[in-house]
Amino acid sequence: MPLPQTEVPGRLQAHFAERGIRMTQQRRAILRVMETATKHLDAAQLLRKAQRLDASVDRSTVYRTLRLLKRHGLIDELDLMHINGEGHYYERKLGRDHIHMACLRCGKITEFVSDGFERLKQQVEKDCRFRVLISRLEIGGYCATCRGPQ
Amino acid sequence: MPLPQTEVPGRLQAHFAERGIRMTQQRRAILRVMETATKHLDAAQLLRKAQRLDASVDRSTVYRTLRLLKRHGLIDELDLMHINGEGHYYERKLGRDHIHMACLRCGKITEFVSDGFERLKQQVEKDCRFRVLISRLEIGGYCATCRGPQ
DNA sequence: TCGGTAGTCGCAACTGGTCGCAACCGGCGT
DNA sequence: ACGCCGGTTGCGACCAGTTGCGACTACCGA
């Protein structure tokens, strides 16, 4: 999937500076991990990886930084249909929203960008007079492989 | 909103019998609360109400029963965009899926049934060859009242 | 270069949800 | 009507995430 032009990869830190958010040792470590992550991370993995860059990073700092990123719309928080317990997963927000599909059998996560999703959000804006800021569509079911032939 | 014909209200207990799920004192209390609930309940409210019917009901039994109902597709679990902390909300599943919109300012929850949502799920089934079993679409933003005029 | 201060951090205590285990009981077979 | 047995329960310990607080520090102005 090509990266959208509105967003340069690896530049969460630049966003912080632009918005006048204070940069700290710990945040630098956490952001670096998020920037270089290739998969959906949960908070515990993020903590472990960040601590390898800066051992002083605390659990609560990770959560606070995630909340901060969420509030600024720089990351998305996912349940992935609670495939593995209650935890959440986080991913950098790059351009367009996408749907997450979680296979209830093999646990694979698939992402899907759809114009229909964008139209649906516009319909909500219009029909419900509701200003849409965040949206999350998660689907649980069986992926092409697990649902077998046909 | 009229009730769909495929589902008779107040009959969670009948579903249990049909599917050969064992009925216990505690489950009866919990189901009765769910059947008569008019709003989205969280686990703690459900526990309190159930304990008024049967004082022996334990916290973990409530969670286990909710998981059971979820697995059988009889209820939906909602985050409501984590408007009030981390907790989840539960509601009986009656007929068609609907979108939940949470106002980030006043906290009001609005529900919206949309053909576009159904079409979107069909598109996922077709384009991704993914069998859709559960789906959850939650939107956070500002409701008509809170976003002010226009 | 050097304070002052608002914003951030680490820690420890707390809430929401899960798990392992031994005791218990619903409902079928006789 | 009774007993058996596997599913269910309550309990206490645990994991995930949040909060309050005192100590610390990034960064602005001088």
Side-chain angles (χ1 to χ4, degrees):
Chain A
M1 191 168 51
L3 290 162
Q5 289 101 333
T6 49
E7 190 88 29
V8 181
R11 293 291 98 208
L12 282 178
Q13 298 190 36
H15 268 284
F16 266 46
E18 278 166 32
R19 298 174 196 223
I21 303 170
R22 183 174 300 184
M23 181 53 60
T24 66
Q25 180 81 10
Q26 294 86 345
R27 286 184 180 168
R28 218 182 317 272
I30 295 169
L31 296 189
R32 186 172 296 269
V33 173
M34 296 240 52
E35 282 169 355
T36 57
T38 55
K39 311 170 21 81
H40 300 112
L41 292 174
D42 65 21
Q45 294 168 325
L46 186 49
L47 173 61
R48 249 181 291 115
K49 284 169 186 283
Q51 283 180 332
R52 287 210 283 271
L53 300 179
D54 175 353
S56 80
V57 174
D58 186 71
R59 215 157 55 95
S60 56
T61 301
V62 169
Y63 286 115
R64 284 191 273 236
T65 304
L66 286 171
R67 211 190 315 165
L68 185 66
L69 289 163
K70 234 187 325 183
R71 271 210 307 274
H72 282 83
L74 298 173
I75 60 168
D76 277 326
E77 181 186 57
L78 312 169
D79 285 337
L80 299 183
M81 292 326 270
H82 295 157
I83 272 192
N84 291 312
E86 270 301 300
H88 292 122
Y89 296 84
Y90 301 89
E91 68 172 1
R92 287 198 57 197
K93 196 168 187 149
L94 294 168
R96 296 181 63 187
D97 282 345
H98 47 264
I99 303 168
H100 285 95
M101 289 167 290
C103 178
L104 301 175
R105 188 129 167 281
C106 69
K108 194 175 70 186
I109 305 300
T110 315
E111 303 185 350
F112 181 47
V113 175
S114 158
D115 288 331
F117 189 24
E118 299 306 317
R119 277 197 298 274
L120 181 52
K121 285 189 286 185
Q122 283 163 22
Q123 192 203 352
V124 168
E125 293 246 359
K126 194 156 79 49
D127 293 5
C128 307
R129 308 197 348 90
F130 192 96
R131 185 78 234 280
V132 174
L133 296 178
I134 338 167
S135 61
R136 175 160 71 181
L137 172 51
E138 296 186 1
I139 294 180
Y142 296 125
C143 71
T145 313
C146 290
R147 75 180 208 171
Q150 212 271 82
Chain B
M1 190 169 51
L3 290 161
Q5 288 101 333
T6 49
E7 189 89 28
V8 182
R11 294 289 100 210
L12 283 178
Q13 298 191 36
H15 268 285
F16 267 47
E18 277 165 32
R19 298 174 196 223
I21 304 171
R22 184 176 296 182
M23 180 53 60
T24 66
Q25 181 82 11
Q26 292 87 343
R27 286 184 180 169
R28 219 182 316 272
I30 295 168
L31 296 190
R32 187 171 296 269
V33 173
M34 295 242 52
E35 282 168 356
T36 57
T38 55
K39 310 169 23 83
H40 299 114
L41 292 174
D42 66 22
Q45 295 168 324
L46 187 49
L47 173 62
R48 250 182 290 116
K49 285 170 187 280
Q51 283 180 332
R52 287 211 283 270
L53 300 179
D54 174 353
S56 80
V57 174
D58 186 72
R59 213 159 57 98
S60 53
T61 300
V62 168
Y63 285 115
R64 284 191 276 236
T65 305
L66 286 172
R67 211 190 316 165
L68 185 66
L69 289 162
K70 235 187 323 183
R71 272 210 308 275
H72 283 84
L74 297 172
I75 59 169
D76 277 327
E77 180 186 57
L78 313 169
D79 284 338
L80 300 182
M81 294 323 271
H82 294 157
I83 272 191
N84 291 311
E86 268 302 297
H88 292 121
Y89 296 83
Y90 302 89
E91 70 173 358
R92 288 199 57 196
K93 196 167 187 150
L94 294 167
R96 297 181 64 186
D97 282 345
H98 46 265
I99 303 170
H100 284 95
M101 288 167 289
C103 178
L104 300 175
R105 188 129 167 281
C106 70
K108 193 174 69 183
I109 304 300
T110 315
E111 303 185 351
F112 182 46
V113 175
S114 157
D115 288 331
F117 189 25
E118 301 304 318
R119 277 197 299 274
L120 181 53
K121 285 188 288 186
Q122 283 163 23
Q123 191 204 351
V124 168
E125 293 247 358
K126 194 155 81 47
D127 293 5
C128 308
R129 308 199 344 92
F130 191 96
R131 184 77 234 281
V132 174
L133 296 178
I134 338 168
S135 60
R136 174 161 72 183
L137 172 51
E138 295 185 2
I139 294 180
Y142 296 125
C143 71
T145 313
C146 290
R147 75 180 207 170
Q150 216 279 75

